[in-house]
Amino acid sequence: MTLPELGPKQARRLRAPHLARPFPAQLHPDHAQFEDQVLAWMVDHGLLTDERQGYAGHSHRPPPGRLMGWLYPHGTAEAVATAGRLAVWARMLDDRIADPAAQKHDLAEMTDRLLAFDSILHTHTMNADSSRPEEAPDRLLRDLCRSLHAMTTPHQFLRIQRAMLRAFLGFTADAAHASHKRIPTVAQYRSIRRNTSTLDIFIVLAETATEFEIPSEAALRQEVQALIDTTTDLFTMAHDIFTCHKDVHHGDWLNLAILLAHEHASSPQDGLTLAAEEFNEGTASFRRHAEVLLDSFDHALWTHQLTSALEHVLGGYLAWLSELWVTEAGDYNFTLVPLLGTAT
C-alpha cells in the first residue's frame, strides 16, 4: 500500500476539522519571567550569544517559557522555569541528535550519545569509559539533573529517569523508521509518539509545580497509568492535527493523520478527520478514566490534584498550539483558534 499523495498542493486543500475543547486553559501570570530565565540559561550555556536573540533566533521555535506558563498556570516559579529549560533540552534531543542520525542513516553515534545521557542521569557525570567529547546537550542535562534532584522526591526523580529512558527508546525507533524509510503501522506510531512526546517527564514536573505527588504505591496502578496514557495520546494527537498541514506540505509521513490515511487508503483530509474524531473520543475517555481514578482511591486529594493538573496540561497545550503555531506551508493558512475559542 502506497502513501497518499503529499505536497504543497495537497496541503492547501486541507480544511480544519472540528475539535472538542473540554479542558481549561489559563496562562500563568509570570510567563514572561519564565521566558527570561530560560533565555538567560541558554546564554549561560552558550546556546545563545545574547538574550535579545530570543528562542526563535536559536531554532525557530515558539518560546518554551510561555509554553510552560500555559501547561502549569498555577505552578511555582522554580518548577515552571526548570520545565522550560527541560523543553529546550528535549528539542535538542530531537533536532540535534535524532534527526541528524536519521538523515545520515547511522544510529551508532546516536546510541553512543544516549548511553552517555543515561550515565549522566544516574551519576551526573560522563561515563569514564566514553571517548566521545562532551557537548552542549551533556552539560545541559547534567545541570538539569542537579535542578531536578533538588526539587523532586527520590521517587519522582526515579520516574523522571524512567521517562527519559522511554524517550531515548522512542527517538531511536523514530530515527530508525525515518532512516530506512520504513512506514510504521498506526499502532507502532502511537507507541513511538507516547515515548517521543516526553510528556511523562513533564507530568512529574506538573506535580512538582503544583506541590503534590502521586504516592509511590499508586504510581504504577492501572487506574493512574490509564489516565496518564490517555493524556499523552491526546497531547500527541493534538500536535499531529495542528502540524498535519506542514507535514503534508513537506512530505513528512510521520504524522498520525497521514498514517491513518495510509492505513485506510484514503486522502490526507480523511486522515485528518479520522484523527480529529479519535481526539474527540479521547476526551470522553479521559473523563471516564478520571472518574475511575477518583473512585478507586476514595477521592484522595492527590487524585483531584492529578486530574486538575492533567486537564491544565491539555487545555494549555491546545491554547499554545492555537496561539503560537506558525505554518511553514507558504500561503496555506491552517488555524483552529476559532474552534478552540479565546483562551484566558
Side-chain angles (χ1 to χ4, degrees):
M1 186 184 301
T2 60
L3 282 165
E5 190 174 358
L6 307 175
K9 181 178 179 181
Q10 287 71 31
R12 285 191 292 271
R13 291 175 178 170
L14 289 177
R15 294 296 177 265
H18 172 72
L19 280 188
R21 190 195 182 219
F23 305 110
Q26 185 177 353
L27 183 61
H28 198 295
D30 298 326
H31 62 87
Q33 170 190 327
F34 304 143
E35 188 59 28
D36 289 342
Q37 291 175 356
V38 172
L39 291 173
W41 179 76
M42 293 175 74
V43 171
D44 288 344
H45 287 274
L47 299 182
L48 296 174
T49 57
D50 190 317
E51 291 182 29
R52 289 172 297 180
Q53 284 182 265
Y55 187 61
H58 169 64
S59 64
H60 308 292
R61 303 283 178 174
R66 187 176 179 86
L67 167 60
M68 296 306 152
W70 277 117
L71 300 191
Y72 312 133
H74 308 295
T76 59
E78 182 182 9
V80 180
T82 298
R85 294 192 287 268
L86 185 58
V88 173
W89 185 84
R91 177 52 59 189
M92 293 178 70
L93 181 63
D94 190 4
D95 288 350
R96 294 196 182 187
I97 298 173
D99 285 350
Q103 292 165 5
K104 292 188 293 186
H105 309 290
D106 182 4
L107 304 189
E109 180 181 351
M110 175 181 176
T111 54
D112 181 47
R113 301 193 71 177
L114 296 183
L115 287 170
F117 293 156
D118 180 59
S119 178
I120 292 170
L121 281 169
H122 287 85
T123 68
H124 301 185
T125 62
M126 289 288 290
N127 189 325
D129 296 330
S130 177
S131 60
R132 184 181 60 79
E134 183 179 68
E135 298 182 35
D138 305 302
R139 296 191 298 273
L140 268 61
L141 180 58
R142 189 183 304 106
D143 183 77
L144 285 165
C145 282
R146 286 193 289 265
S147 297
L148 292 168
H149 253 299
M151 70 176 60
T152 60
T153 66
H155 182 255
Q156 285 176 322
F157 191 79
L158 283 173
R159 287 169 56 206
I160 288 174
Q161 287 179 325
R162 177 177 179 269
M164 287 280 197
L165 293 176
R166 289 191 67 189
F168 297 163
L169 175 63
F171 280 114
T172 302
D174 185 86
H177 279 280
S179 177
H180 297 287
K181 294 183 170 54
R182 177 184 173 187
I183 302 171
T185 66
V186 170
Q188 289 171 331
Y189 181 72
R190 292 186 208 280
S191 179
I192 290 171
R193 288 295 285 126
R194 275 189 180 179
N195 290 353
T196 59
S197 73
T198 68
L199 192 62
D200 282 356
I201 305 169
F202 292 95
I203 288 174
V204 178
L205 286 173
E207 297 172 41
T208 305
T210 48
E211 300 180 296
F212 78 97
E213 181 178 5
I214 300 173
S216 58
E217 65 273 14
L220 295 180
R221 283 274 296 269
Q222 173 61 29
E223 298 93 333
V224 175
Q225 287 301 304
L227 184 60
I228 289 176
D229 286 347
T230 300
T231 301
T232 305
D233 290 341
L234 287 168
F235 190 93
T236 58
M237 280 189 280
H239 176 275
D240 282 12
I241 289 167
F242 273 79
T243 60
C244 180
H245 66 287
K246 175 181 70 70
D247 291 337
V248 169
H249 180 94
H250 292 292
D252 183 357
W253 37 264
L254 284 171
N255 179 292
L256 176 64
I258 296 172
L259 292 175
L260 283 170
H262 172 64
E263 198 160 277
H264 288 81
S266 58
S267 68
Q269 181 66 59
D270 291 335
L272 186 58
T273 299
L274 288 170
E277 290 173 354
E278 188 174 319
F279 178 89
N280 294 338
E281 292 168 2
T283 62
S285 180
F286 178 97
R287 296 297 180 202
R288 291 193 297 271
H289 287 306
E291 289 300 323
V292 169
L293 174 70
L294 294 170
D295 291 343
S296 297
F297 293 94
D298 298 321
H299 285 249
L301 177 59
W302 69 266
T303 62
H304 289 277
Q305 291 170 313
L306 175 61
T307 300
S308 176
L310 296 180
E311 288 176 346
H312 280 296
V313 164
L314 289 171
Y317 191 56
L318 286 167
W320 180 75
L321 287 170
S322 297
E323 176 188 65
L324 295 178
W325 183 259
V326 178
T327 179
E328 297 176 13
D331 60 344
Y332 176 63
N333 180 25
F334 186 93
T335 176
L336 299 182
V337 174
L339 298 178
L340 293 173
T342 301
T344 58

